[in-house]
Amino acid sequence: MSKTTTLLTVDLGREHDVVLARQRARQLATQFKLDAQDQTRFATAVSELARNAYQYAGGGRVDFWIDHEEPATLVARVSDRGPGIARLGDVLDGRYVSSTGLGIGIMGARRLADTFSAASSPNEGTAIVIGKRLPATVRATASAINAAMGAVAASSALDPLLEMQAQSQELARTLAHLREKQAETDRLAQELSETNRGVLALYAELDERAVYLERVNELKTRFLSDLNHEIRTPLNAVRNVAR
């Protein structure tokens, strides 16, 4: 098998094609067994990049393929023949965000992807490639790819309402996941706070012990000094009598 296997292409000529690109990205992510969160991340990243190509470059295309280099990766390449991005390096470094929001979409897609690369030339267009690694249990064999593509081809034609419902469900799952993460963060923060209180109590106890030991040592020193004095006084008297 070659190092890559082409899956499908979506031409971005109409606004509905942006929705179609998202739908195809989600369907492919589902067929190749990405978990629910990664399905949403991949579909959202493709949608953001496709919208950029449609809005800022007047159109483009999205090519999907499987990269068989270990670990196998589901890849999407969003390309256009627009004016290019003059400050792409600054955008990727986080030093520049355009007033139109182009930089936000690119950086958002970058954060959602496992792999990312971008190239842009003045008046020659932009190409951005993102990838999501397949689970270790998934084998992207020829038969598995054929089965996945058959399932995608057999899926219903694009219905914007159904796609919006799917996006709403994805958003609801994401919000639920964030709530779980927030609850876990709150629990860990509570445990950390209790641990900190325990550490502070321990330090306070150690400080008290240190003060106590210092007082004991002072009393011991004073006692030995007094004892030495009390013993030396009669001994001197005895020595004088003996003389």
Side-chain angles (χ1 to χ4, degrees):
M1 181 180 291
S2 64
K3 292 185 178 180
T4 62
T5 300
T6 300
L7 300 177
L8 57 87
T9 297
V10 176
D11 290 319
L12 303 172
R14 304 175 304 160
E15 187 168 1
H16 282 181
D17 294 331
V18 175
V19 182
L20 177 60
R22 178 188 178 92
Q23 184 185 53
R24 293 303 185 227
R26 181 166 47 78
Q27 290 171 335
L28 291 171
T30 301
Q31 291 301 316
F32 288 104
K33 311 302 181 185
L34 272 68
D35 64 32
Q37 291 298 319
D38 279 342
Q39 291 173 25
T40 300
R41 292 186 183 103
F42 186 67
T44 301
V46 169
S47 177
E48 283 297 307
L49 297 175
R51 189 172 300 282
N52 282 346
Y54 175 75
Q55 288 183 345
Y56 305 121
R61 58 185 286 175
V62 184
D63 297 292
F64 295 95
W65 69 82
I66 293 290
D67 185 342
H68 296 282
E69 289 288 341
E70 292 295 334
T73 305
L74 175 61
V75 180
R77 179 179 185 269
V78 183
S79 58
D80 63 63
R81 302 297 296 176
I85 304 174
R87 301 181 60 180
L88 179 60
D90 290 340
V91 169
L92 297 179
D93 290 339
R95 297 192 300 265
Y96 174 76
V97 177
S98 70
S99 59
T100 60
L102 175 61
I104 296 175
I106 293 175
M107 293 304 296
R110 186 180 193 180
R111 285 191 291 268
L112 294 172
D114 293 333
T115 62
F116 178 95
S117 65
S120 185
S121 300
N123 301 317
E124 293 185 8
T126 301
I128 298 179
V129 181
I130 61 171
K132 268 292 179 184
R133 298 185 185 95
L134 302 186
T137 55
V138 175
R139 295 290 179 266
T141 61
S143 59
I145 290 174
N146 289 336
M149 296 311 299
V152 171
S155 63
S156 60
L158 175 65
D159 185 333
L161 178 59
L162 291 178
E163 184 60 24
M164 289 183 63
Q165 290 175 344
Q167 291 184 36
S168 297
Q169 292 171 358
E170 291 171 0
L171 179 59
R173 288 194 296 267
T174 301
L175 290 175
H177 179 71
L178 290 175
R179 290 192 187 99
E180 292 175 2
K181 290 294 185 182
Q182 184 62 50
E184 179 68 11
T185 300
D186 292 343
R187 184 184 66 79
L188 292 175
Q190 179 65 26
E191 290 181 1
L192 180 60
S193 177
E194 293 174 358
T195 301
N196 286 340
R197 286 197 294 270
V199 171
L200 289 174
L202 179 60
Y203 273 118
E205 183 178 351
L206 290 175
D207 288 341
E208 291 177 2
R209 291 293 182 91
V211 172
Y212 171 77
L213 291 175
E214 185 176 355
R215 292 180 58 192
V216 168
N217 185 62
E218 182 181 347
L219 290 172
K220 181 194 72 172
T221 302
R222 186 182 304 171
F223 170 76
L224 291 176
S225 177
D226 292 343
L227 181 63
N228 181 58
H229 175 73
E230 294 298 330
I231 291 177
R232 288 181 64 184
T233 299
L235 284 178
N236 288 334
V238 172
R239 289 174 64 188
N240 290 334
V241 170
R243 287 175 182 163

